[in-house]
């Protein structure tokens, strides 16, 4: 009887496929984001627009700062607030929308093109994949937020120095305002990432982002019901606005105002909940 021999190595002797390291996943996500020109054009243009809005707001006020404003009945005399004008809400809204759209694109873009199947086939660990997206989105938008916040603050206050109303970063509330102005950008990006993970559709994700950041606050803006007001105070842009208030300013907080601590907790909670939702949805749902 002849014996049959097999060439090659046994399955147990074959070299195991190398496991993708987390740095490899970060590099892969970076390549995906960098390969889309619309991504960095969106972020770069929105940052320039936000800075231009803040600078223009202060530049428009330069001719009126020295002119006295008659006080309104029951209110103290008008005092120009460099924080309110130099770190404006309109510019923050522009950056929040751009960052949230960017976060959503990083997820629904892969589902729309079908690339997510290739990604998960190469790296079955879905939690690692979505974590890499979270880390990279957070890092990019945090850098962008710092650039917009720091540039806006120092540029506008340099302009106001000629009118002797400019502020220093060491003045009360300034460092807090600059920090909150920068941090709300990655928070909104993570909210967009979570919505993109849940909806997986371009139009639905962008509409949800607009609704969450701009329409929802309108439902909680009144002061008639305390619960609704307190919910509205802890929405992302409302929390940032509270942290950016000048302690020496005369801005009225209205009834049931948010606290400094509560506003910091709100921003952190929005970020953590968004990450948890994204990880849970991507792990459990089919591609």
């Amino acid at each position: 009887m002849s014996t049959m021999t097999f060439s090659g190595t046994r399955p147990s002797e074959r070299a195991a496929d190398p496991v993708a390291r987390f740095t490899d996943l970060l590099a892969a996500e970076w390549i995906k984001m960098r390969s889309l020109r619309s991504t960095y054009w969106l972020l770069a243009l929105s940052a320039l627009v936000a800075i231009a809005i803040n600078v223009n707001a202060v530049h428009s006020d330069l001719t009126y700062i020295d002119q006295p404003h008659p006080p309104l009945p029951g209110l103290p005399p008008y005092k120009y607030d460099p924080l309110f004008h130099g770190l404006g809400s309109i510019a923050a809204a522009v950056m929040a929308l751009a960052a949230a759209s960017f976060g959503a694109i990083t997820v629904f873009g892969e589902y729309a093109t079908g690339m997510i199947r290739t990604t998960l086939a190469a790296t079955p660990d879905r939690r690692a994949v979505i974590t890499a997206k979270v880390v990279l989105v957070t890092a990019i938008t945090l850098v962008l937020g710092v650039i917009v916040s720091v540039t806006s603050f120092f540029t506008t206050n340099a302009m106001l120095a000629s009118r002797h109303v400019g502020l220093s970063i060491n003045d009360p509330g300034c460092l807090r305002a600059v920090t909150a102005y920068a941090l709300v950008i990655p928070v909104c990006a993570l909210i967009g990432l979570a919505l993109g993970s849940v909806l997986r559709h371009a139009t639905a994700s962008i509409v949800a982002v607009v609704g969450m950041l701009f329409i929802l606050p309108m439902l909680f803006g009144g002061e008639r019901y305390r619960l609704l007001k307190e919910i509205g105070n802890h929405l992302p842009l409302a929390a940032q606005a509270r942290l950016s208030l000048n302690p020496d300013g005369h801005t009225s907080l209205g009834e049931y105002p948010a606290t400094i601590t509560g506003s910091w907790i709100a921003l952190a909670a929005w970020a953590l909940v968004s990450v948890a939702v994204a990880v849970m949805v991507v792990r459990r749902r089919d591609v």
Side-chain angles (χ1 to χ4, degrees), residues 64-90:
Y64 304 102
I65 291 175
D66 295 331
Q67 299 179 9
H69 293 259
L72 296 176
L75 295 178
Y78 175 81
K79 181 181 179 181
Y80 187 81
D81 188 348
L83 273 182
F84 177 80
H85 295 80
L87 299 176
S89 58
I90 297 177

Side-chain angles (χ1 to χ4, degrees), residues 32 107-127 129-130 133 196-200 278-287:
K32 294 175 190 176
V107 179
F108 73 65
E110 283 201 71
Y111 282 98
T113 60
M115 187 182 293
I116 190 65
R117 296 184 180 90
T118 304
T119 299
L120 296 180
T123 309
D125 188 352
R126 298 188 178 193
R127 182 173 3 184
V129 171
I130 193 65
K133 289 183 183 293
S197 301
V198 173
L199 300 174
R200 303 184 181 185
V279 172
M280 181 181 64
V281 169
V282 171
R283 285 187 62 192
R284 295 188 176 184
R285 289 176 61 178
D286 295 331
V287 297

Side-chain angles (χ1 to χ4, degrees), residues 60-199:
S60 301
D61 295 336
L62 288 178
T63 56
Y64 304 102
I65 291 175
D66 295 331
Q67 299 179 9
H69 293 259
L72 296 176
L75 295 178
Y78 175 81
K79 181 181 179 181
Y80 187 81
D81 188 348
L83 273 182
F84 177 80
H85 295 80
L87 299 176
S89 58
I90 297 177
V94 169
M95 285 303 302
L97 179 58
S101 301
F102 168 65
I105 288 171
T106 59
V107 179
F108 73 65
E110 283 201 71
Y111 282 98
T113 60
M115 187 182 293
I116 190 65
R117 296 184 180 90
T118 304
T119 299
L120 296 180
T123 309
D125 188 352
R126 298 188 178 193
R127 182 173 3 184
V129 171
I130 193 65
T131 302
K133 289 183 183 293
V134 166
V135 171
L136 200 57
V137 167
T138 303
I140 292 173
T141 52
L142 178 59
V143 170
L144 202 68
V146 170
I147 291 173
V148 172
S149 182
V150 171
T151 303
S152 296
F153 178 82
F154 285 102
T155 301
T156 55
N157 282 283
M159 296 167 61
L160 292 170
S162 62
R163 299 296 191 273
H164 307 290
V165 293
L167 295 174
S168 166
I169 193 66
N170 296 319
D171 288 335
C174 289
L175 181 59
R176 182 187 70 207
V178 171
T179 303
Y181 208 77
L183 288 180
V184 75
I185 307 306
V187 170
C188 291
L190 293 176
I191 292 174
L193 189 146
L195 293 174
S197 301
V198 173
L199 300 174

